[in-house]
Amino acid sequence: MNSLNRFADPVYCLMRLIAGLMFMCHGLDKTFGTFGGKVAAEPVMQVGGWLEIICGALIAIGLLTRIAAFVASGEMAVAFFMFHAKDSFIPIVNHGELAVVYCWLFLFIFLYGPGRLSIDALMKRGSVPATSTV
């Protein structure tokens, strides 16, 4: 099992990229009808679409990852309780399982951080303070 640990961070970063891009696609679909979906007419859905586009892109590239993941996780919690749970509280019944999965996935990304393969990590590496040799 230890031999697989070397793949943990690259696979995590790939998962973060794919999840961010898929989330962004949901936003593009709601906002512009890009992938054959209907453009959302309700203002709350338009705001949600823009949040999904922006947060998804930030998560995908690993820029301001924790903030974007926290906002995206909150948005998915709100989406579940406002739009899905009013019919039934069981995600399989109310078709809210994707909102639940995204909510918990983005909460995990918020807690775990961006990973080594991200813009956040590159910026952190570049801002290492110089140590004094006294």
Side-chain angles (χ1 to χ4, degrees):
M1 190 69 162
N2 288 337
S3 64
L4 295 176
N5 286 345
R6 62 185 168 153
F7 298 115
D9 197 59
V11 170
Y12 169 77
C13 292
L14 185 62
M15 183 267 312
R16 191 197 71 233
L17 171 74
I18 292 169
L21 290 176
M22 292 295 102
F23 197 59
M24 190 174 75
C25 287
H26 281 281
L28 289 169
D29 203 31
K30 278 183 201 157
T31 307
F32 302 113
T34 308
F35 302 104
K38 294 180 181 178
V39 175
E42 298 176 32
V44 70
M45 294 290 283
Q46 282 289 317
V47 169
W50 280 105
L51 280 173
E52 290 169 14
I53 293 168
I54 294 166
C55 290
L58 290 173
I59 290 167
I61 64 173
L63 178 64
L64 303 173
T65 309
R66 287 185 191 263
I67 296 168
F70 183 75
V71 170
S73 178
E75 183 204 352
M76 288 294 96
V78 168
F80 179 78
F81 288 110
M82 277 184 70
F83 297 105
H84 295 285
K86 64 183 176 186
D87 298 330
S88 169
F89 196 69
I90 301 168
I92 296 298
V93 174
N94 65 28
H95 303 290
E97 61 269 20
L98 188 58
V100 171
V101 169
Y102 270 139
C103 179
W104 285 101
L105 177 66
F106 292 138
L107 184 64
F108 175 72
I109 291 172
F110 165 69
L111 294 171
Y112 189 83
R116 281 187 279 177
L117 302 173
S118 65
I119 294 176
D120 285 343
L122 288 173
M123 290 180 359
K124 188 175 179 181
R125 266 186 244 139
S127 66
V128 175
T131 57
S132 62
T133 54
V134 178

